[in-house]
Amino acid sequence: MTQTIAFIGLGNMGGGMAANLLKNGYAVRAFDLSEEALAKAEGHGAVRATSAADAVTGADAVVTMLPAGKHVESVYAGEIFGAAKRGALFLDCSTIDVATARRVIEAAVAKGFEMVDAPVSGGIAAANGGTLTFMVGGADAAFAKAKPILSAMGKAVIHAGGAGNGQGAKICNNMLLGATMVATCESFAMAKKLGLDPQTFYDISSVSSGQSWSMTSYCPVPGVGPQTPADNGYQGGFAVGLMLKDLKLATEAAASVGASVPMGNAAEALYQLLANRGEGARDFSLMIEMLEGK
């Protein structure tokens, strides 16, 4: 019997994820506040719901992909818990703060449901291509039930531990990414001022100890390395505003547990400066232009 998934939140990431569930044989009841997003989901074969509660009614599992912790908590408390059938599984794929993730999962478990937090890594292209990485927090039994659903949308599904640990893994990973991209950008900018050709510096650093994903898979210099948003005017990819959101989550989490994150703090401050220039919608590798004084 075909499993029915309620999918709530059909934005840049959620739309592609829902489409991949449909491609892999799941039935999807979709809801979003955007008419355009709903129409697109319908075009992929989803059934349109009139509200989150309507989407959830009768569904075997619920996937949410929402902007922030306040939205997640509001939708689960206000609509999902009351409308979901007994035994429904909840999977929140949003990137939110650890405390809210744990609070919502605790509330779900108290009401007799199983739930995981399962934020993603990979961006819009991976969401569309079904190659996301999921970092999952929750009980072993809930993870076992969630894994087949997540596998229909991604290439890697990794259990990070208890409730909230998926969010913890995601924000630590993205803090590392944000700081590494800043270092990559400033290194290219400095190399150029020292008279090094960017391609030559790439050829050296990409096979030396300075190599990183930001260097070899997402090079911030147009025309160097594989194709990246840098080759498209820094459009698409991972928006500055989203990186800033994740860095704020990371530094807040660090403060809550007394972790020292000087590089994370510095990266947050720099991306804040970039966002303040009105560049929140462009790709985060645009950092190189700010460091070059453009």
Side-chain angles (χ1 to χ4, degrees), residues 80-135:
I80 295 175
F81 289 155
K85 72 177 185 181
R86 184 184 299 273
L89 173 69
F90 303 150
L91 306 88
D92 181 42
C93 296
S94 319
T95 296
I96 64 173
D97 61 287
V98 175
T100 298
R102 288 177 174 162
R103 194 163 57 243
V104 174
I105 291 177
E106 182 180 345
V109 171
K111 293 179 181 298
F113 297 105
E114 291 180 293
M115 182 174 184
V116 297
D117 57 294
V120 306
S121 178
I124 297 169
N128 292 334
T131 59
L132 292 167
T133 293
F134 289 91
M135 295 151 270

Side-chain angles (χ1 to χ4, degrees), residues 229-289:
D231 299 304
N232 189 38
Y234 300 96
Q235 300 296 329
F238 189 47
V240 168
L242 292 177
M243 174 53 78
L244 181 58
K245 170 196 166 183
D246 288 358
L247 287 168
K248 287 183 181 295
L249 289 173
T251 55
E252 288 168 8
S256 74
V257 295
S260 177
V261 290
M263 294 296 289
N265 291 332
E268 180 190 346
L270 286 165
Y271 281 105
Q272 184 67 67
L273 287 174
L274 192 53
N276 290 348
R277 288 161 51 120
E279 301 291 9
R282 296 176 75 190
D283 185 74
F284 79 119
S285 61
L286 181 69
M287 176 62 65
I288 193 168
E289 290 197 353

Side-chain angles (χ1 to χ4, degrees), residues 182-241:
V182 172
T184 301
C185 290
E186 64 186 16
S187 295
F188 268 108
M190 180 177 170
K192 185 177 180 181
K193 289 195 172 185
L194 290 171
L196 278 164
D197 174 71
Q199 182 65 55
T200 300
F201 176 60
Y202 175 88
D203 291 343
I204 293 167
S205 190
S206 64
V207 294
S208 300
S209 55
Q211 187 274 334
S212 69
W213 186 88
S214 295
M215 165 72 69
T216 53
S217 296
Y218 214 90
C219 185
V221 180
V224 177
Q227 188 168 21
T228 68
D231 299 304
N232 189 38
Y234 300 96
Q235 300 296 329
F238 189 47
V240 168

Side-chain angles (χ1 to χ4, degrees), residues 25-167:
Y26 290 94
V28 174
R29 290 177 56 82
F31 178 70
D32 193 279
L33 294 175
S34 164
E35 170 60 32
E36 182 182 354
L38 275 174
K40 191 171 181 179
E42 275 190 302
H44 287 124
V47 173
R48 175 193 292 252
T50 58
S51 66
D54 179 41
V56 167
T57 301
D60 300 299
V62 178
V63 177
T64 46
M65 192 64 165
L66 300 167
K70 63 182 180 180
H71 304 107
V72 172
E73 196 155 28
S74 174
V75 168
Y76 276 92
E79 299 191 65
I80 295 175
F81 289 155
K85 72 177 185 181
R86 184 184 299 273
L89 173 69
F90 303 150
L91 306 88
D92 181 42
C93 296
S94 319
T95 296
I96 64 173
D97 61 287
V98 175
T100 298
R102 288 177 174 162
R103 194 163 57 243
V104 174
I105 291 177
E106 182 180 345
V109 171
K111 293 179 181 298
F113 297 105
E114 291 180 293
M115 182 174 184
V116 297
D117 57 294
V120 306
S121 178
I124 297 169
N128 292 334
T131 59
L132 292 167
T133 293
F134 289 91
M135 295 151 270
V136 190
D140 290 348
F143 172 74
K145 291 179 181 178
K147 189 173 182 179
I149 298 171
L150 297 173
S151 295
M153 301 182 284
K155 66 176 181 180
V157 180
I158 302 167
H159 194 193
N165 279 20
Q167 300 295 347

